[in-house]
């Protein structure tokens, strides 16, 4: 980890992401174009992994190593990518895009930084791992950059629920396949030995708590700027739609303090005050000039 060969692979992945990002912008990739390209990479990746991870079967022949089943978070994204590519447009597809954009970016970068297959240049799975996760990172960033993903508060809640559901699912899958020493989503043990934070030095439950909190914090920080932007846009729309007339002539209170900035509340008060002064000025003059005026 972070050896010379690892840095070379990181450089290759960054170069691939930058080239694809430039090409997608230059060629004005549609979502369908990007999906087809990524699905092609997925096909190559899974074919390479399956051909490389076949092991002898007990009664003859070969079968896929259960450790290579697609239950890691990045592998699960294969099926989500297929749905995005071929599925019907609608709320479910949008939720899939929102989930893919966040988890694909975080998972892809994490997999490049923590190479579970090693960094040797003569191992097929190393090529598969780095190139797939580079393509995964690019496609996820594409969904964000070209505004296919909506990463506001609702998307944050949805993604959090899906992540916890996958956590529970893989707790069961790792238990069912414990004889094969599976470690899907790395909730059995750390992805590599000697990691500074993700380790078993303080026991398994502390490790599990750390990896869950790392996921929650990472998801929160990723969504935070989009949530702030969403809130700012919503408040701008509200402020634009409101006018002094709404404050002056509506029978019900035209706004709620929790929905606007303090500046807009003060401005509204000043608008109402100005209106009262304008309407009452002549009346005030008449009263002071004629005390008997009713």
């Amino acid at each position: 980890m972070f050896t010379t060969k690892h840095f070379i692979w990181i450089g290759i992945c960054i170069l691939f992401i930058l080239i694809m990002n430039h090409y997608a912008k230059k060629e004005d990739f549609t979502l369908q174009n990007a999906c087809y390209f990524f699905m092609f990479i997925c096909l190559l990746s899974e074919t390479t992994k399956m051909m490389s991870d076949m092991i002898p079967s007990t009664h003859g022949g070969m079968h896929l190593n259960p450790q290579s089943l697609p239950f890691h978070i990045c592998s699960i994204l294969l099926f989500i990518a297929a749905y995005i590519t071929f599925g019907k447009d609608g709320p479910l597809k949008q939720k899939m895009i929102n989930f893919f954009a966040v988890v694909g970016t975080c998972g892809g970068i994490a997999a490049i930084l923590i190479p579970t297959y090693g960094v040797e240049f003569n191992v097929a799975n190393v090529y598969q791992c780095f190139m797939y996760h580079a393509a995964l990172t690019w496609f996820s960033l594409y969904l964000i950059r070209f505004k296919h993903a909506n990463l506001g508060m609702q998307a944050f809640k949805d993604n959090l629920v899906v992540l916890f559901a996958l956590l529970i699912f893989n707790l069961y899958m790792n238990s069912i396949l414990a004889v094969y020493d599976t470690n899907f989503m790395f909730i059995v043990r750390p992805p590599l030995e000697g990691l500074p934070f993700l380790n078993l030095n303080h026991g398994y439950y502390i490790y599990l708590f750390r990896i869950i909190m790392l996921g929650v914090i990472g998801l929160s920080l990723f969504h935070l700027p989009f949530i702030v932007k969403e809130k700012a846009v919503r408040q701008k729309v509200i402020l634009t739609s409101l006018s002094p007339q709404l404050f002056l002539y509506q029978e019900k209170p035209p706004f709620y303090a929790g929905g606007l900035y303090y500046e807009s509340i003060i401005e509204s008060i000043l608008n109402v005050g100005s209106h009262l002064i304008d309407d009452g000025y002549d009346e005030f003059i008449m009263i002071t000039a004629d005390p008997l005026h009713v």
Side-chain angles (χ1 to χ4, degrees):
M1 185 174 177
F2 297 123
T3 61
T4 300
K5 291 181 180 178
H6 188 197
F7 280 117
I8 292 174
W9 276 115
I10 292 174
I12 292 172
C13 291
I14 292 174
L15 185 62
F16 173 85
I17 293 169
L18 292 177
I19 290 174
M20 284 305 305
N21 186 61
H22 174 74
Y23 184 74
K25 183 179 179 181
K26 181 181 178 181
E27 298 297 323
D28 195 21
F29 264 26
T30 63
L31 177 60
Q32 205 68 16
N33 294 146
C35 285
Y36 284 142
F37 177 81
F38 181 67
M39 288 304 299
F40 174 72
I41 297 294
C42 290
L43 181 62
L44 290 179
S45 172
E46 283 303 295
T47 302
T48 302
K49 186 169 70 171
M50 286 190 290
M51 295 298 293
S52 302
D53 291 349
M54 300 295 285
I55 58 176
S57 185
T58 305
H59 302 290
M62 303 185 77
H63 64 81
L64 180 65
N65 187 339
Q67 295 181 3
S68 299
L69 291 171
F71 294 135
H72 278 295
I73 190 70
C74 291
S75 298
I76 292 173
L77 293 178
L78 288 168
F79 303 104
I80 296 179
Y83 186 86
I84 294 172
T85 304
F86 305 108
K88 184 179 179 181
D89 292 342
L92 179 59
K93 184 172 181 176
Q94 186 60 57
K95 290 178 186 292
M96 296 286 190
I97 292 174
N98 297 342
F99 181 78
F100 194 106
V102 178
V103 177
T105 302
C106 296
I109 293 174
I112 292 170
L113 295 178
I114 306 176
T116 54
Y117 280 102
V119 294
E120 298 300 322
F121 290 103
N122 60 347
V123 178
N125 272 343
V126 173
Y127 287 85
Q128 177 271 328
C129 180
F130 278 106
M131 296 317 298
Y132 169 71
H133 288 101
L136 175 65
T137 304
W138 164 74
F139 183 59
S140 303
L141 293 174
Y142 165 85
L143 294 175
I144 298 171
R145 184 183 183 189
F146 290 86
K147 303 185 185 307
H148 296 294
N150 301 322
L151 303 180
M153 178 58 74
Q154 186 57 50
F156 170 69
K157 295 176 183 177
D158 293 339
N159 290 346
L160 200 59
V161 169
V162 174
L163 274 181
F164 273 105
L166 290 175
L167 174 70
I168 300 300
F169 171 78
N170 274 313
L171 279 172
Y172 286 123
M173 289 306 301
N174 285 322
S175 299
I176 294 170
L177 300 173
V179 65
Y180 299 108
D181 198 28
T182 57
N183 188 23
F184 301 126
M185 287 181 67
F186 305 113
I187 54 179
V188 174
R189 59 186 174 275
L192 290 176
E193 293 290 335
L195 294 178
F197 182 73
L198 296 177
N199 54 62
L200 297 171
N201 295 346
H202 300 284
Y204 172 73
Y205 291 106
I206 295 298
Y207 166 74
L208 182 62
F209 175 77
R210 285 180 175 180
I211 199 168
I212 291 173
M213 291 311 299
L214 191 63
V216 172
I217 293 171
L219 188 71
S220 302
L221 292 177
F222 197 101
H223 274 278
L224 183 60
F226 299 97
I227 293 173
V228 171
K229 182 179 178 180
E230 179 187 58
K231 183 177 180 181
V233 170
R234 185 185 298 115
Q235 291 176 336
K236 183 178 179 181
V237 170
I238 293 173
L239 292 174
T240 302
S241 63
L242 294 176
S243 65
Q245 286 77 17
L246 290 175
F247 292 105
L248 299 177
Y249 299 115
Q250 284 186 350
E251 295 181 2
K252 296 181 179 180
F255 63 90
Y256 299 92
L260 300 174
Y261 288 116
Y262 290 119
E263 290 83 357
S264 64
I265 297 174
I266 294 172
E267 182 181 357
S268 302
I269 294 172
L270 291 176
N271 287 337
V272 174
S274 298
H275 176 72
L276 293 175
I277 290 173
D278 291 337
D279 286 352
Y281 180 77
D282 292 337
E283 187 70 18
F284 175 78
I285 295 299
M286 293 177 66
I287 290 173
T288 54
D290 184 4
L292 299 177
H293 174 77
V294 179

